[in-house]
């Protein structure tokens, strides 16, 4: 029963993919209505199964493996398509299927009337299948298959609006940058196999202690490369903002709530290896901290509503990596969950804004929308408050926990990075809110009178997500109090080996924890107030500041020129090398052919010369000698030499015949 | 004493069947009415079917020890049988593909099938020969047929040019190979693989003539498998030859050459493994790097696939330099899987027509998803498989070969391979991108204008086999892995 239901979780969306995919290929035999019902219905079923599995796991935190299919194995390698069910998997399952379901429902309204409606849902469900494999897999290969699968679906969905050139480019970029990360991941898998002889988590983590520190470090770093690619951390972050070319529900589901968090999930899943490589763990933390601040600063000046949210996502993922880096794995997953709520909410409500404004995404042509689309405004406000760290909302709990861990564990620099990033977060989100919803309307005239609130099918998922964004953080405090809520108790068995030290450090510094909470709250308020000052009290200030700090402004507006630098450093030289090799080959082949001919000619000439001068020469000498001898012999025998030769041959023939005759006669008698 | 025994002839029964079949096609050609020429294709397929059955029976019957034939010049072993079955299968698919394609190109001559069969018989000799001269004989029989087939589009200058270049360079490389063989003979007093192995054992390490002979063999085989820097002929010849011939060269001739390469180097030259390993590691890296980097800038799909096939030769070489049981098995697995995905990709190219010509530019794939969903879908499958993305078979192939490298402590090589495999996604994906994310051109001069897909039942059958192969071997690779692992060379 347990095995069956676990297996069904990815099977439901898979069936929907097959049905909707076939429907597209065979020329739309059934209507859009059936297509979207299949799509969200299957995800709903998966969600219900996940809830059931959670119920089964509550009393049994020990990991359970479900083998769905014996996949491939050689003499020394067995890889099964199997699932590992433990508290971490359960949490991920609920986030993926729960938020996924809401986004599917929202998409029914958002994608209404789009050309490839059924195709869109087929891709979305394929994404769900891959993401479920990713979080459920009990070994690295299943994880990797899900990993590549989500990348593939992300590619297909970013390029969904194929009439935009930028969409196709963004899709390719996302895929190729991810492949760089995947290369690291694949190497990690090989290294794990070389060290353990198996790829199953449970066996590996049980024996992780036998790993020497160098091996643990290299595995951890290779895994990190993979995680950095998928979760858009420095230096592989460039694809995520471009990925906003995809439809907004895709941005919410794939590029905010689920796929991009896969890197965090992977690091937490492999914490047994990271715990053995403190240096690698430190690198994780530094990557996270630097990315959190780096992306947050870029978010300060972006003018595309989705791009602000994209950089915000990169920054928030940085927080999660930072948490991993300081050993606060539970905090990382906690933030992953709350972030899934409020970021999905923000993206979807941004989609609702875009929907209302007939596709406008530039916040400079928005403003004053709060009265025209009040429901969207309300939920966006909630989302902003949650991410900015408004007290008692979900983001406040989880972000505070991360910063608290960083400080308590003595990573003051990381704490400072995170705290500054938190200030920026509060600022850019408030700025987004003010510029989009308040102040004078700057909406283009022809768009103005089309503004309408989104249909209920889009609003209800927003309300649910808003509710979760408000109360979602409470799972981290109820019932055991701060950092000892249900969530922590539930996940503790998964990260037990690591978290123990961290929790102890926390107990003794209770007062410090409250001080830190107050500090981060103040930081959030300060961020909000700065935005309030700039965009409400003194709206002329931003331009003045912009002029005063032109250099810095241009730098972050252009995203630190990372894209351009990569183009100059890798893409262009790569293509140039390719072209020059290509030219060399194209020109070279003819030269080689000609050279071969010349060599052949030359050796033919050479051998002719040898024949003429060496061999014939020799023959001539021989001939001359013969000639001389013949002259002498002629005296002895009259007649011509060839007569003698003819007679000789005739004699030989007769002789041979006689011999044969005699032998035959002899044999016969 | 009899020179040839019945057992010897039985050992080469599949080869004899194919060879006789090839000759019969030539004889039957003038006796067949013009509108019945298709029967010769079916006849060839029947011959291949018979050879396959015999070969399959051999492989099943060969439990354990290899059976030498022709006084040690030839061997009947599971290794050879594995390759033979693969080659027969590929030849059958190419005949099916050519049946439709030759008509489109108006070069519908039944000699083609005869050449396929003759070339195949050469390959079969190559993979089973245990004497360098026998292997050479097979290699020449294969190559000579391929030279003719490369120029089969005899009214097209590109095709003739390809044939001429292929012939000139092919002969040159054969000469180099022969030179290497003669040096080996001079140094060890034998041309059989076992004799050379014993001879090398008696030589001092680092014998210069021996090393030179080894180098010449690397050049000769490197040319046939299109390894850098002996790859230069590949793009021109692949582009100029009729596409069904290109598919045959890229798949069958490469597989047969790898089979012989492996056998010669592991069986005869196993004693100087350390010296050829260094050389081949360099060749292998250069091949992966150049193949993948140059493929990025190609605009013609056949040239792109040519560089892709160079890159794949680089990956497969990893299995050779690893030079252990896992390495050998992974090369066999790799080339078997590569056969399906590459054949499939070329099959799609044969079906694409731009005006009256073959649509062999990448631009011709623009908006294919809107012209023909199925063609675009299978092409997507082949591109993803070539890029090595799960759950396609291409992933399994790469996974095993890279794993073999890590298992043999050659992690550096694996790192390079994995990184360049990642880069390769870029150019495979470009085909997918133009198919799915662009509209086909509506006016003359725009990409994808006037392109249509001509689907014949035979070509669809080939695509079906290739696509199912890529999918089934991706999800259910176990039988193939088992077959490869049970058919590896006995390493000495």
């Amino acid at each position: 029963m347990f095995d069956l239901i676990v297996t069904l979780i990815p099977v439901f969306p898979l069936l929907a993919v097959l049905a909707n995919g076939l429907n597209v290929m065979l020329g739309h035999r059934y209507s859009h209505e059936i297509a979207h019902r299949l799509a969200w219905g299957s995800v709903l079923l998966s969600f219900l199964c996940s809830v059931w599995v959670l119920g089964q796991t509550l009393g049994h935190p020990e990991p359970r493996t479900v083998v769905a299919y014996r996949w491939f194995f050689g003499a020394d390698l067995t890889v099964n398509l199997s699932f590992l069910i433990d508290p971490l998997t359960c949490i991920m399952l609920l986030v993926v299927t729960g938020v996924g379901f809401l986004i599917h429902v929202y998409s029914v309204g958002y994608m209404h009337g789009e050309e490839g409606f059924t195709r869109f849902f087929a891709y979305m469900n394929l994404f769900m299948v891959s993401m479920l494999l990713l979080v459920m897999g009990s070994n690295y290969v299943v994880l990797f298959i899900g990993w590549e699968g989500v990348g593939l679906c992300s590619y297909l969905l970013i390029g969904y609006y194929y009439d935009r050139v930028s969409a196709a480019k963004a899709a390719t970029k996302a895929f190729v940058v991810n492949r760089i990360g995947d290369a690291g991941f694949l190497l990690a898998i090989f290294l794990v196999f070389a060290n353990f002889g198996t790829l199953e988590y449970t066996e590996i983590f049980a024996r992780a202690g036998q790993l020497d520190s160098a091996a643990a470090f290299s595995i951890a770093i290779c895994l990190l490369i993979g995680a950095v690619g998928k979760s858009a951390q420095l230096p592989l972050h460039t694809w995520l903002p471009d990925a906003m070319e995809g439809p907004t529900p895709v941005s919410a589901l794939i590029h905010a709530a689920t796929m991009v968090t896969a890197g965090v999930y992977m690091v937490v899943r492999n914490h047994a290896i990271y715990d053995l490589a403190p240096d690698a763990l430190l690198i994780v933390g530094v990557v996270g901290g630097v990315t959190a601040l780096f992306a947050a600063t870029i978010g300060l000046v972006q003018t595309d509503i989705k791009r602000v949210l994209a950089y915000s996502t990169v920054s928030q993922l940085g927080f999660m990596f930072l948490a991993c880096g300081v050993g606060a794995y539970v905090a990382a997953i906690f933030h992953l969950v709350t972030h899934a709520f409020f970021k999905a909410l923000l993206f979807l409500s941004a989609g609702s804004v875009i929907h209302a404004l007939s596709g406008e995404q530039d916040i400079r042509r928005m403003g004053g929308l709060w009265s025209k689309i009040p429901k969207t405004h309300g939920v966006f406000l909630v989302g902003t408050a949650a991410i900015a760290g408004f007290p008692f909302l979900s983001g406040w709990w989880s972000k505070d926990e991360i910063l608290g861990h960083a400080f308590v564990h003595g990573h003051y620099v990381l704490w400072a990075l995170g705290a500054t990033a938190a200030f920026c977060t509060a600022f850019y989100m408030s700025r987004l809110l003010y510029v989009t919803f308040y102040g004078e309307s700057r909406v283009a005239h022809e768009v103005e009178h089309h503004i309408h609130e989104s249909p209920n099918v889009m609003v209800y998922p927003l309300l649910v997500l808003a509710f979760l964004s408000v109360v979602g953080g409470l799972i981290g405090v109820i019932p055991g109090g701060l950092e000892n809520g249900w969530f922590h108790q539930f996940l503790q068995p998964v990260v037990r080996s690591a978290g123990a030290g961290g929790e102890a450090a926390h107990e003794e510094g209770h007062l410090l924890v409250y001080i830190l909470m107050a500090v981060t709250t103040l930081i959030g308020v300060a961020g909000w107030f700065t935005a309030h000052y700039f965009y409400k009290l003194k709206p002329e200030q931003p331009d003045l500041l912009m002029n005063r700090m032109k250099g810095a402004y241009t730098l972050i507006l252009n995203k630190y020129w990372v894209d351009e630098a990569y183009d100059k450093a890798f893409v262009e030289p790569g293509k140039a090398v390719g072209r020059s090799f290509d030219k060399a080959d194209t020109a070279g082949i003819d030269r080689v052919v000609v050279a071969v001919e010349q060599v052949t000619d030359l050796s033919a000439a050479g051998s002719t010369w040898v024949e003429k001068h060496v061999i014939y020469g020799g023959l001539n000498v021989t001939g001359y000698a013969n000639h001389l001898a013949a002259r002498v012999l002629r005296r002895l025998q009259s007649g011509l030499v060839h007569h003698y030769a003819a007679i000789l041959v005739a004699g030989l023939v007769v002789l041979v015949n006689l011999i044969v005759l005699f032998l035959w006669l002899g044999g016969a008698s | 004493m009899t020179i040839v025994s019945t057992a010897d002839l039985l050992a080469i029964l599949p080869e004899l069947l194919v060879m006789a079949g090839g000759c019969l096609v030539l004889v039957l050609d003038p006796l067949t009415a013009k509108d019945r020429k298709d029967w010769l294709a079916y006849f060839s397929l029947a011959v291949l079917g018979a050879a396959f059955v015999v070969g399959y029976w051999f492989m099943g019957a060969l439990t354990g020890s290899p059976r030498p034939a022709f006084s040690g010049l030839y061997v009947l072993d599971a290794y050879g049988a594995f390759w033979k079955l693969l080659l027969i299968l590929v030849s059958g698919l190419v005949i099916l593909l050519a049946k439709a394609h030759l008509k489109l190109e108006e070069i519908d001559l039944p000699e083609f099938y005869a050449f396929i069969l003759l070339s195949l018989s050469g390959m079969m000799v190559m993979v089973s020969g245990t004497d360098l001269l026998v292997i050479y004989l097979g290699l020449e029989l294969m190559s000579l047929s391929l030279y003719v087939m490369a120029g089969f589009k005899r009214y097209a200058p590109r095709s003739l040019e390809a044939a001429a270049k292929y012939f000139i360079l092919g002969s040159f490389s054969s000469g180099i190979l022969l030179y290497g063989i003669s040096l080996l003979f001079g140094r060890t007093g034998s041309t059989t693989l076992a004799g050379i192995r014993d001879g090398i054992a008696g030589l001092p390490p680092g014998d210069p003539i021996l090393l030179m002979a080894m180098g010449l063999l690397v050049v000769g085989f490197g040319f046939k498998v299109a390894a850098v820097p002996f790859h230069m002929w590949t793009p021109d010849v692949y582009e100029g030859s009729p596409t069904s011939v290109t598919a045959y060269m890229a798949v069958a001739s490469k597989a047969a050459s790898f089979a012989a390469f492996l056998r010669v180097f592991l069986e005869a030259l196993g004693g100087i493994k350390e010296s050829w390993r260094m050389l081949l590691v360099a060749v292998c890296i250069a091949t992966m790097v150049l193949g993948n980097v140059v493929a990025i800038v190609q605009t013609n799909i056949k040239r792109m696939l040519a560089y892709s096939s160079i890159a794949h030769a680089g990956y497969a070489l990893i299995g050779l330099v690893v030079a252990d049981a896992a390495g050998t098995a992974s090369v066999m697995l790799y080339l078997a899987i590569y056969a399906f995905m590459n054949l499939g990709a070329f099959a799609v190219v044969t079906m694409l027509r731009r005006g009256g010509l073959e649509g062999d530019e990448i631009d011709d794939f623009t908006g294919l998803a809107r012209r023909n969903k199925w063609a675009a879908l299978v092409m997507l499958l082949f591109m993803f498989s070539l890029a090595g993305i799960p759950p396609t078979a291409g992933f399994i192939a790469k996974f095993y070969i890279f794993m073999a490298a890590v298992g043999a402590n050659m992690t550096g090589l694996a790192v390079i391979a994995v990184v360049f495999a990642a880069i390769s996604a870029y150019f495979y994906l470009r085909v997918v991108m133009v198919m799915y994310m662009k509209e086909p051109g509506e006016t003359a001069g725009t990409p994808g204008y006037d392109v249509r897909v001509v689907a014949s039942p035979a070509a669809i059958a080939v695509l079906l086999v290739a696509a199912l192969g890529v999918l089934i071997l991706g999800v259910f690779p176990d039988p193939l892995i088992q077959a490869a692992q049970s058919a590896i060379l006995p390493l000495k």
Side-chain angles (χ1 to χ4, degrees):
Chain A
M1 180 68 175
F2 182 78
D3 288 12
L4 177 72
I5 292 201
V6 167
T7 313
L8 280 178
I9 293 174
V11 167
F12 284 127
L14 182 65
L15 291 176
V17 173
L18 293 177
N20 282 340
L22 267 179
N23 189 38
V24 171
M25 293 306 287
L26 298 177
H28 298 280
R29 298 295 170 92
Y30 53 72
S31 68
H32 286 176
E33 297 300 309
I34 298 177
H36 76 67
R37 279 187 195 138
L38 278 174
W40 60 255
S42 67
V43 180
L44 179 62
L45 287 174
S46 296
F47 175 68
L48 294 176
C49 290
S50 304
V51 172
W52 187 84
V53 170
L54 173 76
Q56 295 292 306
T57 314
L58 279 175
H60 309 270
E62 66 279 6
R64 277 182 281 187
T65 306
V66 176
V67 180
Y69 169 64
R70 272 168 80 82
W71 191 29
F72 67 80
F73 59 98
D76 49 359
L77 168 70
T78 308
V79 174
N80 290 326
L81 182 57
S82 51
F83 306 125
L84 180 78
I85 303 300
D86 71 349
L88 179 59
T89 307
C90 283
I91 297 290
M92 293 304 290
L93 275 180
L94 287 177
V95 170
V96 171
T97 55
V99 176
F101 167 67
L102 293 173
I103 294 174
H104 271 74
V105 172
Y106 174 96
S107 308
V108 175
Y110 190 85
M111 299 305 288
H112 182 77
E114 292 280 351
E115 192 200 338
F117 188 82
T118 313
R119 184 166 56 99
F120 174 83
F121 279 105
Y123 290 163
M124 287 285 268
N125 281 8
L126 188 60
F127 170 79
M128 292 304 289
V129 177
S130 313
M131 192 68 206
L132 289 169
L133 287 180
L134 195 160
V135 298
M136 292 171 76
S138 78
N139 58 53
Y140 287 97
V141 176
V142 178
L143 172 60
F144 187 74
I145 286 167
W147 191 267
E148 291 285 290
V150 292
L152 185 61
C153 297
S154 157
Y155 166 77
L156 291 169
L157 283 164
I158 296 169
Y160 180 79
Y161 292 124
Y162 48 80
D163 43 348
R164 291 192 215 157
V165 181
S166 50
K169 273 195 178 154
T172 308
K173 181 174 175 183
F175 199 82
V176 173
V177 173
N178 263 297
R179 289 287 289 172
I180 304 291
D182 297 348
F185 186 11
L186 205 52
L187 281 174
I189 296 178
F190 295 142
L191 289 175
V192 165
F193 184 75
N195 278 289
F196 294 98
T198 176
L199 291 172
E200 292 289 323
Y201 296 147
T202 43
E203 293 176 42
I204 291 162
F205 299 147
R207 289 192 280 134
Q210 73 188 46
L211 215 56
D212 64 79
S213 61
F217 181 78
S218 44
I219 292 174
I221 289 298
C222 286
L223 284 174
L224 178 64
I225 294 172
V228 159
K230 190 67 56 191
S231 294
Q233 298 293 290
L234 279 174
L236 298 179
H237 65 286
T238 55
W239 65 272
L240 185 59
D242 288 10
M244 296 300 123
E245 292 288 345
T248 307
V250 172
S251 312
L253 177 62
I254 301 184
H255 304 122
T258 55
M259 181 186 87
V260 290
T261 62
V264 180
Y265 165 77
M266 184 170 77
V267 173
V268 175
R269 177 57 85 198
N270 287 288
H271 72 86
I273 291 172
Y274 279 96
D275 289 340
L276 296 171
D279 294 344
L281 204 56
L282 186 65
I283 294 176
V284 173
V286 171
V287 165
V290 173
T291 308
L293 180 59
F294 176 86
T297 56
I298 299 176
L300 297 176
V301 298
Q302 295 299 309
T303 53
D304 180 311
I305 186 167
K306 283 180 74 182
R307 279 188 178 254
V308 175
L309 294 176
Y311 280 105
S312 162
T313 304
V314 175
S315 170
Q316 297 299 309
L317 289 165
F319 273 102
M320 297 173 211
F321 275 85
L322 195 161
C324 294
V326 299
Y329 299 114
V330 177
I333 296 295
F334 187 29
H335 196 57
L336 187 159
V337 173
T338 60
H339 176 256
F341 296 153
F342 60 68
K343 193 49 74 61
L345 172 65
L346 285 169
F347 264 115
L348 293 186
S349 40
S352 180
V353 171
I354 296 166
H355 194 75
L357 296 179
S358 322
E360 183 58 70
Q361 294 190 194
D362 192 332
I363 54 173
R364 288 168 299 189
R365 287 194 287 278
M366 295 181 184
L369 292 176
W370 68 275
S371 57
K372 289 165 194 148
I373 41 173
K375 290 179 201 157
T376 305
H377 163 245
V379 291
F380 197 91
L381 181 65
V382 170
T384 305
I387 189 176
F390 191 81
F392 310 113
L393 299 190
S394 60
W396 183 70
W397 297 108
S398 55
K399 198 187 290 180
D400 177 68
E401 189 176 331
I402 293 172
L403 292 176
H405 271 281
F407 196 87
V408 170
H409 293 184
H411 298 283
Y412 302 118
V413 176
L414 289 181
W415 179 84
L417 284 172
T420 321
F423 171 80
C424 294
T425 308
F427 175 83
Y428 66 69
M429 285 310 301
S430 307
R431 166 181 174 264
L432 192 61
L433 184 72
Y434 279 104
V435 177
T436 308
F437 288 99
Y438 307 135
E440 302 266 306
S441 170
R442 298 174 302 280
V443 180
H445 211 63
E446 60 276 16
V447 180
E448 183 97 46
H449 39 262
H450 288 302
I451 297 180
H452 56 280
E453 184 59 273
S454 300
N456 281 344
V457 68
M458 288 164 69
V459 172
Y460 288 146
L462 291 176
L463 294 177
V464 177
L465 284 169
F467 174 74
L468 290 171
S469 302
V470 173
V471 303
L474 297 180
I475 53 171
V477 274
I478 297 172
L482 205 55
E483 293 179 26
N484 194 22
W486 170 83
F487 192 81
H488 297 74
Q489 291 171 2
F490 185 52
L491 277 183
Q492 212 39 247
V494 180
V495 296
R496 187 173 290 139
S497 60
E503 296 312 311
H506 235 246
E507 301 275 311
E508 61 201 43
H510 236 60
L511 183 64
L512 181 65
V513 172
Y514 288 118
I515 295 172
L516 284 171
M517 269 177 116
V519 170
T520 42
T521 310
L522 281 177
I523 287 171
V525 171
W528 163 76
F529 184 77
T530 319
H532 184 72
Y533 176 79
F534 274 155
Y535 294 96
K536 179 87 180 182
L537 304 178
K538 295 267 165 79
E540 72 282 355
Q541 273 295 323
D543 288 331
L544 288 177
L545 195 67
M546 232 183 272
N547 283 331
R548 203 154 355 124
M549 302 175 66
K550 197 121 194 143
Y553 176 73
T554 326
L555 181 70
I556 53 176
L557 187 67
N558 288 292
K559 301 157 270 179
Y560 298 91
W561 279 292
V562 175
D563 275 300
E564 288 78 3
Y566 285 176
D567 265 357
K568 283 269 182 299
F570 302 111
V571 181
E572 284 174 20
K575 284 194 174 174
V577 169
R579 266 190 293 272
S580 58
F581 277 146
D582 183 45
K583 225 180 252 170
D585 274 5
T586 319
I589 174 72
D590 292 328
R591 288 217 190 110
V592 171
V593 171
V594 170
V596 166
E597 283 169 351
Q598 281 170 346
V599 167
T600 316
D601 267 4
L602 214 67
S603 49
S607 80
T608 314
W609 187 87
V610 169
E611 269 179 37
K612 230 180 188 163
H613 295 95
V614 181
I615 300 177
Y616 286 0
L619 285 178
N620 284 345
V621 171
T622 325
Y624 188 71
N626 281 342
H627 201 66
L628 214 67
R631 270 192 181 172
V632 178
L633 291 171
R634 194 173 291 164
R635 306 255 162 171
L636 302 175
Q637 289 170 345
S638 62
L640 292 163
V641 176
H642 60 259
H643 283 180
Y644 286 106
I647 288 164
L648 193 76
V649 172
L652 198 68
V653 170
V654 172
L655 200 68
V656 169
N657 277 314
L658 281 177
I659 293 170
V660 171
L661 192 70
F662 275 116
L663 282 176
W664 181 67
L665 284 177
S669 65
Chain B
M1 156 197 152
T2 42
I3 295 171
V4 175
S5 70
T6 324
D8 289 342
L9 288 179
L10 260 179
I12 56 163
L13 189 58
E15 284 87 334
L16 288 178
L17 275 173
V18 171
M19 225 174 272
C23 298
L24 258 179
V25 169
L26 286 178
V27 174
L28 289 175
D29 179 19
L31 303 177
T32 317
K34 260 221 156 60
D35 51 339
R36 294 233 175 122
K37 297 288 189 195
D38 272 359
W39 287 100
L40 291 171
Y42 302 135
F43 172 75
S44 311
L45 287 175
V47 169
L48 291 178
F52 191 88
V53 170
V54 176
Y56 190 76
W57 183 80
F58 275 166
M59 188 156 173
L62 282 166
T63 43
S65 57
R67 269 187 264 162
F70 294 98
S71 2
L73 299 182
Y74 211 78
V75 70
L76 186 60
D77 59 357
Y79 177 77
F82 177 93
W83 289 107
K84 274 182 226 173
L85 294 183
L86 176 66
L87 292 169
I88 293 170
L89 186 68
V90 168
S91 306
L93 291 173
V94 169
I95 287 178
L96 267 180
L97 187 64
K99 197 172 90 58
H101 179 238
L102 297 181
K103 282 205 184 78
L104 285 175
E105 295 281 352
E106 294 168 6
I107 42 171
D108 189 15
L109 303 170
E111 290 102 293
F112 190 88
Y113 310 122
F115 282 125
I116 294 266
L117 294 181
L118 290 175
S119 180
L120 171 64
S121 62
M123 296 176 191
M124 292 164 84
V125 170
M126 260 171 97
V127 300
S128 291
T130 48
D131 182 284
L132 282 178
L133 287 178
V134 174
I135 292 173
Y136 175 77
L137 212 64
L139 191 137
E140 280 302 276
L141 182 51
M142 167 187 92
S143 304
L144 287 170
S145 314
L146 284 177
Y147 301 148
V148 181
M149 285 196 282
F152 221 68
K153 222 156 92 182
R154 58 197 188 290
Y155 56 82
R158 292 290 291 145
S159 181
L160 293 180
E161 188 188 333
K165 280 180 183 167
Y166 193 26
F167 173 63
I168 291 169
L169 295 176
S171 323
F172 194 62
S173 78
S174 296
I176 292 175
L177 191 65
L178 264 186
Y179 198 38
I181 294 173
S182 69
L183 285 181
L184 268 184
F185 176 68
R187 212 69 195 96
T188 63
S190 175
T191 55
T192 65
L193 302 184
I196 291 170
R197 189 183 62 237
D198 296 344
I200 287 176
L203 288 173
D207 183 79
I209 306 263
L210 183 64
L211 293 182
M212 201 169 139
M214 180 270 289
L216 293 173
L217 290 191
V218 168
V219 176
F221 283 116
F223 179 88
K224 290 292 170 198
V225 303
V228 175
F230 322 110
H231 67 285
M232 278 190 175
W233 58 277
T234 324
D236 274 24
V237 173
Y238 279 22
E239 188 191 355
S241 307
T243 308
S244 35
V245 179
T246 311
Y248 196 53
M249 287 194 283
V251 174
S253 126
K254 194 178 287 253
S257 307
F258 258 110
F261 203 167
L262 236 68
R263 196 196 278 279
V264 169
F265 274 66
L266 293 179
E267 287 199 348
L269 303 177
I272 49 168
K273 195 195 276 178
E274 290 316 314
S275 24
W276 54 257
R277 191 182 244 176
M278 285 197 308
L279 188 64
L280 283 178
V281 165
V283 168
C284 169
I285 292 173
T287 308
M288 290 189 291
V289 173
L290 188 131
N292 282 313
V293 171
V294 183
I296 290 174
V297 297
Q298 298 305 318
T299 55
N300 179 296
I301 187 104
K302 283 165 81 179
R303 285 186 86 86
M304 190 272 263
L305 287 172
Y307 281 105
S308 142
S309 95
I310 293 172
H312 283 277
Y315 304 134
L317 274 174
I318 294 176
L320 176 55
V321 297
V322 165
D324 58 11
T328 319
S330 62
V331 176
M332 298 167 79
L333 188 68
Y334 198 93
L335 283 160
I337 287 172
Y338 166 82
F340 285 99
M341 54 201 191
N342 221 28
L343 209 56
F346 278 114
V348 176
V349 179
T350 63
M351 292 163 68
L352 217 59
R353 309 296 297 177
R354 182 200 336 115
L357 298 169
E358 189 168 68
D360 62 355
E361 296 294 327
I362 294 180
D363 273 351
D364 294 332
F365 284 81
T366 305
L368 189 66
R370 254 155 289 292
R371 290 213 196 277
N372 189 321
K373 284 176 196 155
W374 291 101
L377 186 70
V378 289
M379 191 65 176
L380 171 128
L381 186 66
F382 299 135
M383 288 298 119
F384 281 136
S385 186
L386 285 167
I389 293 165
T392 59
F395 166 66
I396 307 282
K398 285 210 171 72
F399 189 86
Y400 263 86
I401 213 145
F402 297 164
M403 185 91 112
V406 175
N409 255 332
M410 304 183 91
T411 313
L413 195 60
V415 170
I416 296 173
V418 169
V419 167
F420 278 90
I423 290 173
S424 76
Y426 181 78
F427 56 86
Y428 294 122
L429 218 61
R430 197 156 53 113
V431 180
V432 176
M433 199 259 280
V434 298
M435 287 193 305
Y436 277 87
M437 295 174 192
K438 283 193 176 164
E439 288 286 349
E442 295 299 337
T443 52
T446 51
Y449 172 71
D450 196 21
V451 172
R452 67 208 162 89
V453 176
V454 182
S456 62
I460 290 174
V462 173
L463 281 183
L464 211 61
V465 172
L468 286 178
V470 165
L471 276 179
I472 292 175
L473 292 178
V475 181
F476 191 54
D478 194 40
L480 187 65
I481 295 173
Q482 300 271 336
Q485 283 180 340
S486 63
I488 55 167
L489 284 170
L491 293 167
K492 279 135 196 158

